[in-house]
Amino acid sequence: MTSLDDAYNRSSSFDGRDPRRVYGGLAVVAVGVLALLAAIALVATQGNSVDGKKWAGLLAGLGIPALLGGVVIVLPASRRQRGGVLLGAVLTVVGTTLFWHAYPTRWTRTAHSMAFETVMVYALGGAVALWFVFTAIASAHVRNNPHGTVTLELVRQGTTQTVEVSRDRYRTLVSDGGDATDLIREID
């Protein structure tokens, strides 16, 4: 592999994945980003308003699981990983719903504050979703697939030389039934 561009070129970026799923996942990520940007804009423009904070909390609370879900939709993730992110996203939505219900009257400084419970449910959902996103990223084989490169180690007279050739070139060299020395000479 001569460069990372060869490994991540556009022509094989969907390797076995449905392009609609990839574009759908990117759309979900975009919706999450827009929700977070809208939440930031609301806090920046209406920071002292209770309604502005409430809507910003709702948008941010729903934007983060959308981002995490979109990432797993795009990646070649397993059903278990997608289910884990879905479970985490559902918990974050429950936490966001609790926030919507509790803010501002039962948030803090009241006898029946729900701030701790709300934050714990949301944090648990976020941790579960993030864990499964990380496992999906760690198990994605795209970055470890050199897209058709064969690495040969040639040992001659005590010296080792590593040569990378394309799979097609390797097949033409090996399939002719020639001697191994002819193969080494052709590769050099």
Side-chain angles (χ1 to χ4, degrees):
M1 180 171 59
T2 58
S3 69
L4 286 176
D5 187 46
D6 293 340
Y8 295 102
N9 65 6
R10 282 281 209 207
S11 64
S12 60
S13 62
F14 294 127
D15 279 338
R17 292 181 285 162
D18 184 9
R20 292 175 298 184
R21 174 173 276 190
V22 174
Y23 291 130
L26 291 174
V28 171
V29 168
V31 167
V33 167
L34 289 175
L36 288 174
L37 290 174
I40 291 169
L42 273 173
V43 169
T45 58
Q46 301 177 9
N48 296 329
S49 163
V50 171
D51 285 338
K53 290 178 184 177
K54 192 171 184 175
W55 280 101
L58 177 72
L59 289 171
L62 296 176
I64 291 172
L67 280 170
L68 296 175
V71 167
V72 171
I73 291 170
V74 169
L75 288 175
S78 70
R79 191 174 287 206
R80 184 179 138 267
Q81 292 163 337
R82 286 193 180 105
V85 171
L86 180 64
L87 173 68
V90 166
L91 285 172
T92 59
V93 169
V94 168
T96 304
T97 305
L98 286 173
F99 171 78
W100 186 261
H101 173 71
Y103 191 81
T105 57
R106 297 185 66 195
W107 191 241
T108 57
R109 298 182 189 171
T110 64
H112 303 289
S113 172
M114 292 180 62
F116 180 76
E117 294 85 355
T118 301
V119 170
M120 286 297 105
V121 169
Y122 193 87
L124 177 66
V128 168
L130 200 57
W131 173 261
F132 283 101
V133 166
F134 284 149
T135 60
I137 290 170
S139 65
H141 298 289
V142 172
R143 66 184 180 279
N144 294 327
N145 183 358
H147 292 286
T149 303
V150 175
T151 302
L152 298 173
E153 283 191 15
L154 306 173
V155 180
R156 254 189 301 181
Q157 300 170 351
T159 62
T160 303
Q161 179 184 7
T162 303
V163 178
E164 291 182 0
V165 295
S166 71
R167 233 170 246 212
D168 295 332
R169 176 79 175 128
Y170 178 76
R171 281 193 193 114
T172 61
L173 293 171
V174 173
S175 67
D176 67 355
D179 187 14
T181 56
D182 294 334
L183 175 66
I184 291 170
R185 197 174 311 111
E186 272 191 72
I187 291 176
D188 282 340

